[in-house]
């Protein structure tokens, strides 16, 4: 039997075979051979070697057999949900395809940092070319996602740059699929559209990396429904809602029986489970996400109304959504269905613990009168537009950081999927992309669409077209980034280097240095606003770009920084853009950052050796030809995936 590359697996196999008395290994029944070759220590390389040793074993290791099926399931357990139990499949072909996709994905992700690295964070940068590369592979999407998840689930402190871009690509791929699902949802007849399912798609699109599913949400709602039924049974053991099983569609006609459901729903939801409107943090986007509403038991009027309406309908009470200004409501008909009189309805305030209001009391709620149109029931599509509009306004209210820009982009994508011809939001999307310097080609497409919809927007469109074309032209002739050597005479005042974990003396925040300037390079307005002139050295001292623990990026004066006495990881979303690894007391700059600051890593190692000598590796490790940390995790991962495959 060939053993080249088999390692411990074949040694174990040889030991097992040696115990079989007076029998040739290849004379054993095929079932027993398959059992042996599914021995847990055997890897796919071992199986390749075994199958090449003779025709008998080659036949036992055929692609549709148990041996390769075992190898596939062993290496990629997350993919099992995509196959039916006992499904007959060419496992060797699946293994090859998944293996090849993994190599292609890793090569693409590794190359991204080289092509898209920028010294200053470009908020909301879109890696469109790389996404196109992955899409052009034509590989099954679940293979691509599984490889990206493998990268993200590797050693927490290593492969930070690889994880940074893998996360961005996974975010994009999932959003693309969710948007496709939303379009299919909107194509359904209005009566078949569920407000809960629509709200969940909004939730998933804004949180594509979260584990949020319709089955999971439905299961939680079923638990609440069971609690309502349990309390309802005490009040009325013969109530028709108690006989309904999950998935049944029915309506309770008797008004008194409906009232019993509503009263019990209020008691369980607001008294027993303590759901409430989030008055203290009203503009938190989490209030709009159904899975967060269920987790935190708080929300805003529209999200709580979707929850309330869904629970009521499960128990036979038909409530309708009302797009009331400033305060979303539900209406409950007190007369024959089809009534158009606003006074024939009771209005339920899900934000106000299910309080029941008359039409006049609804006006008291918002402090002014409204026309009868505002009391009309609305469609599921209109519910989603209101929900997405809330998120859009929160994004516009944001502080101009990565998180608020991402929310603004996501909510614009959703809004324009539902209402693609809204000129106001199309123009906002074009301006946003233009401001962020991303997707200039898409900006031109949006502007062309706006011009076709509304020629009166010619002025705004013309301005953006001109400057977008300039941006595209500029991209064709990129400027080489500045290389900063600390040994240069003008840099002699520098005390710190990239990768060091620092503490701000005045503000007390923890941070990691990812760049520096010998003098402050900000505008005079910024210098005045930040009162830099009050510092002992003013603006005439080194300033450092730092990633702060709270997720912000700041520009700090040298005199305000000091090395952290107990270095710790900085939980900042941009860490992977600049660093490949956290090494006990400091961050290791990735190749791109080292290119910009070629002398800083040696300085960082010297600093941490002096400050935290107990945490430093041995001198032998430090003198590794691959740098202070040895081979990068990216290279290790790449090598691990270069396994030979059978042809």
């Amino acid at each position: 039997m060939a053993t080249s590359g088999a390692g411990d697996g074949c040694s174990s196999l040889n030991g097992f075979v040696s115990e079989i008395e007076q029998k040739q290994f290849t004379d054993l029944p095929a079932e027993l051979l398959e059992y042996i070759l599914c021995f847990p220590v055997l890897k796919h390389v071992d199986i390749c070697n075994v199958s090449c040793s003779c025709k008998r074993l080659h036949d036992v290791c055929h692609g549709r057999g148990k041996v390769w099926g075992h190898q596939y399931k062993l290496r990629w357990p997350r993919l099992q949900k995509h196959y039916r139990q006992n499904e007959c499949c060419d496992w060797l072909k699946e293994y090859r395809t998944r293996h090849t996709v993994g190599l292609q994905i890793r090569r693409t992700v590794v190359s991204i940092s080289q092509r898209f690295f920028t010294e200053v964070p470009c908020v909301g940068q879109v890696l469109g070319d790389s996404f196109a590369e992955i899409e052009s592979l034509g590989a099954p999407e679940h293979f691509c996602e599984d490889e990206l998840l493998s990268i993200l689930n590797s050693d927490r402190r290593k492969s930070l740059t690889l994880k940074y871009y893998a996360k961005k690509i996974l975010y994009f791929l999932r959003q693309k699929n969710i948007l496709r699902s939303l379009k299919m949802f909107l194509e359904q007849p209005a009566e078949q559209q569920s407000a809960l399912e629509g709200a969940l798609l909004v939730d998933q699109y804004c949180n594509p990396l979260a584990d949020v599913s319709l089955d999971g949400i439905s299961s939680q709602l079923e638990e609440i429904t069971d609690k309502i039924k349990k309390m309802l049974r005490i009040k009325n053991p013969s109530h028709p809602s108690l006989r309904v099983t999950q998935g049944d569609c029915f309506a309770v006609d008797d008004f008194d029986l409906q009232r019993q459901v509503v009263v019990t729903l209020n008691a369980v939801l607001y008294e027993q489970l303590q759901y409430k409107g989030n008055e203290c943090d009203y503009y938190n986007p989490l209030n709009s996400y159904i899975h967060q509403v269920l987790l935190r038991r708080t929300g805003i009027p529209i999200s709580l109304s979707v929850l309330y309406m869904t629970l009521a309908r499960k128990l036979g009470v038909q409530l309708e959504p009302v797009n009331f200004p400033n305060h979303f409501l539900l209406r409950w008909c007190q007369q024959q269905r089809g009534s158009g009189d606003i006074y024939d309805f009771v209005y339920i305030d899900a934000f106000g613990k299910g309080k029941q209001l008359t039409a006049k009391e609804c006006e008291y709620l918002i402090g002014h009168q409204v026309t009868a149109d505002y009391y009309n029931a609305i469609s599921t599509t209109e519910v989603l537009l209101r929900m997405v509009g809330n998120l859009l306004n929160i994004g516009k209210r944001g502080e101009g950081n990565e998180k608020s820009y991402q929310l603004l982009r996501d909510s614009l994508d959703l809004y324009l999927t539902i209402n693609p011809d809204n000129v106001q939001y199309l123009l906002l999307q074009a301006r946003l992309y233009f401001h962020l310097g991303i997707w200039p080609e898409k900006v031109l497409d949006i502007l062309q669409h706006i011009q076709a919809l509304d020629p009166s927007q010619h002025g705004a469109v013309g301005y953006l077209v001109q400057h977008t074309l300039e941006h595209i032209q500029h991209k064709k002739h990129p400027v080489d980034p500045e290389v900063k050597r600390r040994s240069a005479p003008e840099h002699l005042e520098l005390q710190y280097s990239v990768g060091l974990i620092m503490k701000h003396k005045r503000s007390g925040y923890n941070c990691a240095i990812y760049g520096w300037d010998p003098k402050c390079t900000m505008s005079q307005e910024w210098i005045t606003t930040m009162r830099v002139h009050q510092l002992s050295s003013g603006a005439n001292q080194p300033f450092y770009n730092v990633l702060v623990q709270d997720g912000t990026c700041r520009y700090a004066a040298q005199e305000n920084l000091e090395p952290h006495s107990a270095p710790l990881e900085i939980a900042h979303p941009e860490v992977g853009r600049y660093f490949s690894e956290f090494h006990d007391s400091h961050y290791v700059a990735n190749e791109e950052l080292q290119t910009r600051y070629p002398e800083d890593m040696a300085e960082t190692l010297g600093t941490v050796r002096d400050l935290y000598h107990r945490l430093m590796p041995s001198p032998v490790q430090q003198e590794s030809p691959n740098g202070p940390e040895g081979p990068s995790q990216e290279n290790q991962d790449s090598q691990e995936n270069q396994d030979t495959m059978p042809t």
Side-chain angles (χ1 to χ4, degrees):
M1 181 185 304
T3 58
S4 175
D8 294 338
C10 277
S11 298
S12 302
L13 180 59
N14 289 332
F16 189 96
V17 172
S18 67
E19 296 177 7
I20 302 176
E21 298 179 358
Q22 300 175 355
K23 273 185 178 283
Q24 290 292 325
F25 180 62
T26 54
D27 291 339
L28 295 172
E31 293 82 0
L32 184 54
L33 286 174
E34 286 182 332
Y35 179 80
I36 294 170
L37 293 174
C38 288
F39 204 61
V41 298
L42 296 178
K43 305 301 181 187
H44 75 277
V45 177
D46 301 318
I47 303 303
C48 290
N49 290 327
V50 167
S51 65
C52 293
S53 62
C54 69
K55 186 176 186 305
R56 167 72 167 150
L57 292 176
H58 182 273
D59 292 341
V60 171
C61 298
H62 67 90
R64 294 186 177 274
K66 293 181 179 179
V67 178
W68 277 109
H70 171 75
Q71 284 296 321
Y72 185 88
K73 295 168 185 175
L74 192 67
R75 185 163 180 183
W76 297 296
R78 278 190 301 264
L79 292 175
Q80 297 318 298
K81 63 184 178 182
H82 296 282
Y83 301 93
R84 296 187 300 275
Q85 191 172 9
N86 300 321
E87 179 177 356
C88 182
C89 180
D90 189 338
W91 293 110
L92 179 54
K93 181 180 179 182
E94 291 291 285
Y95 196 104
R96 284 175 179 153
T97 304
R98 171 63 184 83
H99 177 85
T100 303
V101 169
L103 294 176
Q104 293 170 323
I105 291 290
R106 283 183 178 261
R107 278 197 293 267
T108 299
V109 177
V110 167
S111 72
I112 291 176
S113 183
Q114 302 164 355
R115 290 180 287 152
F116 294 94
F117 180 87
T118 52
E119 188 171 334
V120 179
C122 177
V123 179
Q125 181 163 351
V126 177
L127 312 176
D129 292 344
S130 297
F131 300 149
E133 284 178 21
I134 290 178
E135 289 182 309
S136 68
L137 296 177
E141 288 185 356
H142 57 282
F143 282 6
C144 298
E145 178 165 320
D146 187 67
E147 184 63 31
L148 293 168
L149 286 171
S150 296
I151 294 171
L152 292 173
N153 292 332
S154 59
D155 190 329
R156 180 172 58 87
R157 292 185 168 191
K158 298 180 182 294
S159 303
L160 300 181
T161 300
L162 201 65
K163 290 176 183 175
Y164 176 80
Y165 291 105
K167 187 175 181 180
K168 284 186 174 293
I169 292 174
L170 183 60
Y171 196 102
F172 169 82
L173 291 177
R174 286 190 173 177
Q175 280 196 327
K176 183 168 66 73
N177 290 331
I178 295 164
L179 217 54
R180 186 187 305 136
S181 298
L182 176 59
K183 290 175 181 177
M184 292 172 60
F185 174 83
L186 295 171
E187 290 171 359
Q188 295 176 0
E191 63 274 8
Q192 295 180 18
Q193 294 177 354
S194 156
L196 176 68
E197 186 177 350
L200 181 65
L201 287 167
V202 171
D203 184 346
Q204 290 174 325
Y205 192 80
C206 294
N207 303 282
L209 302 181
D211 184 16
V212 182
S213 69
L214 183 58
D215 287 343
I217 297 299
S218 297
S219 177
Q220 293 181 68
L221 292 182
E222 212 50 48
E223 290 179 11
I224 299 175
T225 304
D226 289 342
K227 293 180 186 296
I228 298 171
K229 286 182 177 180
K230 184 178 179 180
M231 185 176 289
L232 188 59
R233 186 174 287 109
I234 296 172
K235 296 180 178 180
N236 183 357
S238 62
H239 198 287
S241 296
L242 301 176
R243 298 192 295 271
V244 179
T245 58
Q246 185 176 355
D248 285 354
C249 182
F250 84 111
V252 174
D253 294 325
D254 185 84
F255 180 73
D256 288 333
L257 294 175
Q258 288 187 32
R259 181 175 295 280
Q260 289 176 15
V261 170
V262 172
V263 170
T264 309
L265 194 163
N266 286 345
V268 170
L269 199 63
Y270 300 111
E271 296 175 21
Q272 182 178 335
L273 298 178
Q274 295 290 299
Y275 277 78
K276 62 181 180 180
N278 195 344
E279 297 179 349
C280 299
D281 192 14
Y282 191 87
Y283 294 101
N284 188 331
L286 298 183
N287 294 325
S288 295
Y289 305 142
I290 289 297
H291 86 279
Q292 288 289 349
V293 172
L294 289 166
L295 177 67
R296 300 159 72 234
R297 300 190 181 187
T298 189
I300 52 176
I302 190 167
S303 57
L304 289 171
S305 291
V306 169
L307 175 62
Y308 194 107
M309 177 173 60
T310 303
L311 291 169
R313 288 186 177 180
K314 282 178 173 291
L315 295 163
V317 178
Q318 304 300 310
L319 303 179
E320 298 173 303
V322 177
N323 204 16
F324 207 67
N326 303 324
H327 201 104
F328 200 86
L329 296 170
L330 298 170
R331 72 178 193 177
W332 175 22
C333 188
Q334 307 293 291
Q335 302 296 330
Q336 287 294 106
R337 289 205 162 271
S339 171
D341 191 337
I342 65 173
Y343 296 102
D344 286 343
F345 294 87
V346 165
Y347 299 87
I348 296 177
D349 179 10
F351 185 81
K353 297 187 176 182
K355 184 178 181 180
Q356 297 176 19
L357 307 168
T358 64
K360 184 54 68 176
E361 287 173 328
C362 292
E363 294 181 343
Y364 296 152
L365 190 66
I366 61 173
H368 60 85
Q369 291 183 332
V370 296
T371 61
D373 293 344
Y374 287 103
Y375 291 91
N376 291 337
I378 60 172
S379 67
T380 297
T381 299
E382 291 171 299
V383 172
L384 297 187
L385 283 174
R386 171 101 176 225
M387 181 172 280
V388 173
N390 288 338
L391 289 169
L392 218 159
N393 288 328
I394 294 171
K396 288 193 286 187
R397 290 168 58 98
E399 300 175 353
N401 55 23
E402 172 78 15
K403 188 176 293 186
S404 62
Y405 281 131
Q406 187 66 59
L407 178 60
L408 191 53
R409 285 181 51 208
D410 290 345
S411 52
L412 278 170
D413 287 345
L414 289 167
Y415 198 100
L416 291 170
T417 298
I418 302 169
N419 185 7
D421 294 337
N422 186 300
V423 171
Q424 175 191 353
Y425 287 132
L426 282 168
L427 195 55
L428 177 59
Q429 187 178 56
R431 284 172 172 158
L432 177 64
Y433 288 165
F434 176 78
H435 172 71
L436 298 176
I438 59 178
W439 267 348
E441 292 80 9
K442 184 171 182 178
V443 172
L444 292 178
D445 290 341
I446 296 170
L447 294 173
Q448 186 176 12
H449 184 45
I450 293 171
Q451 188 66 32
L453 290 171
D454 186 0
S456 69
Q457 297 290 337
H458 177 74
V461 168
Y463 173 85
L464 288 173
V465 167
Q466 177 186 345
H467 286 81
T468 301
L469 290 173
E470 291 174 0
H471 180 205
I472 293 173
Q473 192 64 30
H474 179 73
K475 282 178 62 180
K476 294 179 180 178
H477 306 285
V479 179
D480 291 335
E482 179 186 3
V483 175
K484 296 183 178 180
R485 299 183 181 275
R486 56 191 311 109
S487 59
E490 64 270 23
H491 298 157
L492 295 181
E493 292 184 20
L494 285 166
Q495 295 180 13
Y496 308 123
S497 49
V498 297
L500 287 177
I501 309 299
M502 310 297 288
K503 184 169 185 176
H504 197 278
K505 297 177 183 178
R506 296 187 179 186
S507 302
Y509 60 73
N510 304 324
C511 59
I513 296 175
Y514 70 92
W516 48 257
D517 296 307
K519 311 293 180 189
C520 181
T521 61
M522 301 298 279
S523 66
Q524 187 57 49
E525 180 183 1
W526 184 90
I527 290 173
T528 301
T529 302
M530 302 304 294
R531 294 178 290 187
V532 174
H533 60 280
Q534 295 182 6
L535 299 173
S536 58
S537 298
N540 193 34
Q541 61 175 306
F543 271 70
Y544 297 85
N545 302 106
V546 295
L547 302 175
V548 184
Q549 186 75 30
D550 64 4
T552 60
C553 300
R554 303 193 189 184
Y555 197 51
Q558 180 166 276
E559 68 180 75
N560 281 338
L561 294 175
E562 61 182 358
H564 202 289
S565 58
L568 72 170
E569 291 180 80
I570 302 299
H572 192 286
E574 296 292 309
V575 162
R577 185 192 291 271
Y578 305 102
F579 304 109
S580 61
E581 180 180 346
F582 180 73
H583 190 68
D584 295 330
S585 57
H586 64 284
Y587 278 99
V588 179
N590 61 22
E591 292 182 14
E592 289 67 47
L593 192 62
Q594 288 194 45
T595 299
R596 275 110 178 121
Y597 298 91
E599 300 171 350
D600 270 43
M601 280 315 300
E603 182 72 19
T604 297
L605 286 172
T607 300
V608 298
R609 187 183 300 114
D610 294 341
L611 292 172
Y612 324 113
H613 62 279
R614 290 179 293 104
L615 300 176
M616 286 299 296
S618 67
V620 174
Q621 288 175 303
Q622 293 174 25
E623 294 170 6
S624 165
N626 290 292
E629 321 307 335
S632 70
Q633 184 68 24
E634 284 87 344
N635 290 336
Q636 291 179 20
D637 291 336
S638 179
Q639 291 165 9
E640 289 172 3
N641 279 274
Q642 298 295 331
D643 301 327
T644 56
M645 284 296 300
T647 58

